[in-house]
Amino acid sequence: MNKVIHPARAVALGFLLAILAGTAMLMLPLARADGSAVPLMVAFFTSVSAVCVTGLILVDTGTYWSGFGQSTIMVLFQLGGLGMMTAATLLGLMVNRSPKLRTRLMTQTETRSIGMGDISSVARVVLVVSVLFQLAIAAMLTLRLQSDYGMAWGEAGWVGLFHAVSAFNNAGFSIHPDSMIRYAGDAGILVPVMLAAIIGGVGFPVLHDLRHRFRDPRHWSLHTKLTLSGTLILLLLGYVAILLFEWKNPQTLGAFGLVDKLMNGMFMSAAARTSGFNTVDVAALTRETWALHYFLMFIGGGSAGTAGGVKVGTVAVLVLLVIAEAKGHTDTEAFGRRVGSSAQRQAITVLVLGSVVVAFGTVALLRISHFPTDQVIFEVIAAFGSAGLSTGITADLPPSGQLVLALLMFVGRVGTITFATSLVLGERRMPYRYPEEHPIVG
């Protein structure tokens, strides 16, 4: 009798195998621009960063890696962004239009809020939306790069495709050494990239819901409403705060005109929630903006999407719980719906464990490096939240520090998914209940 692998373990194993395969591919001399051997740490760290769609790097992607190496990296963050189990279901649909229960369960790990009967539909949405949208963004970028930057069609096509795929998957990889800084004044580049990152980051359950009920918001699921409203609030709050903190900073927004200040402020707010691109020097940001990034990077994007973090829905549930408690309500409610107690417990657990991981990662990195605490915290949260932004210390960390970041990237991307799924699938009612008592809190 074959033993079925637990869906949570299958996800972790799938990501791990992709990382190992990516490491092996990137270690080939063919993957390096000069044809020489690639150090194990460079190949491994890059593979982890790509599969976990983080974007932290030890070497410049555009000059260190060959076309083969860059293509390998793009494939890795495409796989990581779409989710291993979503890819497995798509493959199953191509072979057999009726996926087995095991495959559906495995895919539900990545699409937790979707019912079992909708998994096939979700898989189709994943394929159609991701491929068509990435190609559309790539076409827009290609035309802009060819017409306004004088690139040959081949070069413009590759640069456009790489950044379109990276943006939609919130990977943060760029083949430019300055990321998006050279395009800081070009809305024709920044707007499509920002749009791709936001749409990819809201999550496939939301896209699935919008596809079927776009004109009837009243019937959107609670998950969709919480994710979209939470995303909008975070974007606007981050936007206003960044403009406030950076408006007069001569090294960042202070160097731009009014229109460019407004455009780059919005791009920075969107990028902070895991897309990983930057149009200004992150190291030159004010300490207040760094603190804001801690918050935005830790939250990340929507569940079952390409973004990382503890997820917008998780924080939204906790905010609703606090509001209900402050009002003295016994139920946690939003949009005419009651939030289940199990969802509340899961949200608290994910947030607490995420905070513990960040705390331990910070302490570990402080022990083995000489960098200031604020920079270390930024790096740790960027790794855990799959944000990919950096103050510039990644490559200067000792190998042990880089391994800590690699572990944080894996746990941040895979751990939250697998743990939340384990909570859901492992939930069971006990045949008895102990007498209730209320310990003193606060």
Side-chain angles (χ1 to χ4, degrees):
M1 182 176 179
N2 293 330
K3 186 176 180 180
V4 178
I5 300 177
H6 191 282
R9 292 178 187 153
V11 171
L13 181 61
F15 273 81
L16 183 59
L17 290 175
I19 288 170
L20 295 177
T23 302
M25 295 285 284
L26 291 176
M27 286 188 69
L28 298 173
L30 180 64
R32 188 167 178 176
D34 63 6
S36 60
V38 177
L40 174 61
M41 177 55 75
V42 172
F44 175 71
F45 189 93
T46 303
S47 181
V48 173
S49 184
V51 173
C52 297
V53 291
T54 304
L56 292 177
I57 56 174
L58 300 182
V59 294
D60 177 54
T61 305
T63 58
Y64 187 89
W65 302 106
S66 65
F68 173 81
Q70 293 173 19
S71 299
T72 299
I73 292 171
M74 186 176 71
V75 170
L76 291 175
F77 59 64
Q78 179 76 284
L79 290 174
L82 295 181
M84 290 297 172
M85 296 307 101
T86 305
T89 300
L90 288 173
L91 192 59
L93 285 170
M94 294 176 189
V95 177
N96 186 341
R97 295 207 175 258
S98 180
K100 294 181 181 179
L101 177 62
R102 175 187 173 188
T103 308
R104 294 187 179 205
L105 277 173
M106 291 167 70
T107 304
Q108 197 170 16
T109 297
E110 284 280 89
T111 55
R112 292 182 290 279
S113 66
I114 300 298
M116 287 290 291
D118 296 325
I119 293 300
S120 297
S121 177
V122 171
R124 293 189 185 96
V125 172
V126 171
L127 178 63
V128 173
V129 171
S130 61
V131 172
L132 293 183
F133 194 82
Q134 288 176 51
L135 289 176
I137 296 296
M140 294 170 63
L141 295 179
T142 298
L143 291 173
R144 187 73 173 181
L145 292 169
Q146 194 281 327
S147 62
D148 287 33
Y149 293 87
M151 292 186 183
W153 281 109
E155 181 185 4
W158 172 242
V159 173
L161 178 64
F162 189 95
H163 287 92
V165 176
S166 183
F168 184 82
N169 289 288
N170 280 262
F173 278 87
S174 173
I175 51 181
H176 300 317
D178 60 355
S179 187
M180 290 285 163
I181 293 178
R182 65 183 63 191
Y183 305 123
D186 191 346
I189 297 291
L190 297 188
V191 172
V193 168
M194 180 170 57
L195 186 63
I198 293 173
I199 291 179
V202 297
F204 295 121
V206 173
L207 297 178
H208 174 268
D209 203 11
L210 294 179
R211 174 174 175 258
H212 291 281
R213 307 180 184 93
F214 181 76
R215 296 184 179 181
D216 191 8
R218 294 175 302 171
H219 291 89
W220 290 354
S221 69
L222 180 58
H223 171 76
T224 296
K225 293 177 180 178
L226 289 178
T227 301
L228 291 180
S229 58
T231 297
L232 181 61
I233 290 171
L234 289 173
L235 279 173
L236 293 178
L237 289 180
Y239 181 42
V240 172
I242 287 171
L243 291 180
L244 178 65
F245 297 146
E246 300 296 329
W247 191 267
K248 295 183 179 180
N249 184 348
Q251 295 179 287
T252 57
L253 295 186
F256 298 136
L258 176 61
V259 175
D260 287 342
K261 281 183 179 181
L262 297 176
M263 179 177 62
N264 282 272
M266 178 54 74
F267 187 90
M268 289 171 65
S269 178
R273 295 177 48 252
T274 83
S275 83
F277 292 120
N278 60 287
T279 56
V280 299
D281 183 7
V282 176
L285 295 172
T286 63
R287 294 302 184 269
E288 294 88 348
T289 305
W290 279 6
L292 173 67
H293 275 65
Y294 300 162
F295 175 72
L296 295 176
M297 292 189 301
F298 184 74
I299 295 176
S303 298
T306 59
V310 296
K311 303 299 188 291
V312 173
T314 300
V315 175
V317 168
L318 291 174
V319 170
L320 293 173
L321 176 59
V322 171
I323 292 174
E325 200 65 30
K327 291 182 175 180
H329 294 176
T330 55
D331 291 330
T332 301
E333 302 167 339
F335 301 105
R337 293 290 185 269
R338 179 164 48 88
V339 180
S341 58
S342 61
Q344 297 175 44
R345 293 195 305 270
Q346 291 157 16
I348 293 171
T349 305
V350 168
L351 186 73
V352 170
L353 289 181
S355 301
V356 170
V357 170
V358 168
F360 273 100
T362 300
V363 172
L365 217 54
L366 286 172
R367 288 280 296 174
I368 55 183
S369 70
H370 61 278
F371 293 103
T373 303
D374 51 2
Q375 283 186 290
V376 169
I377 293 175
F378 194 102
E379 204 80 6
V380 167
I381 298 179
F384 173 79
S386 302
L389 295 173
S390 174
T391 60
I393 68 173
T394 308
D396 295 326
L397 289 170
S400 56
Q402 293 166 359
L403 285 175
V404 169
L405 288 183
L407 181 61
L408 286 168
M409 288 188 281
F410 185 80
V411 171
R413 178 61 179 164
V414 181
T416 53
I417 294 173
T418 57
F419 186 77
T421 303
S422 296
L423 289 177
V424 174
L425 296 181
E427 190 177 76
R428 65 185 187 276
R429 290 188 177 275
M430 300 300 290
Y432 58 86
R433 299 181 74 184
Y434 289 111
E436 186 175 293
E437 191 170 339
H438 296 274
I440 299 174
V441 176

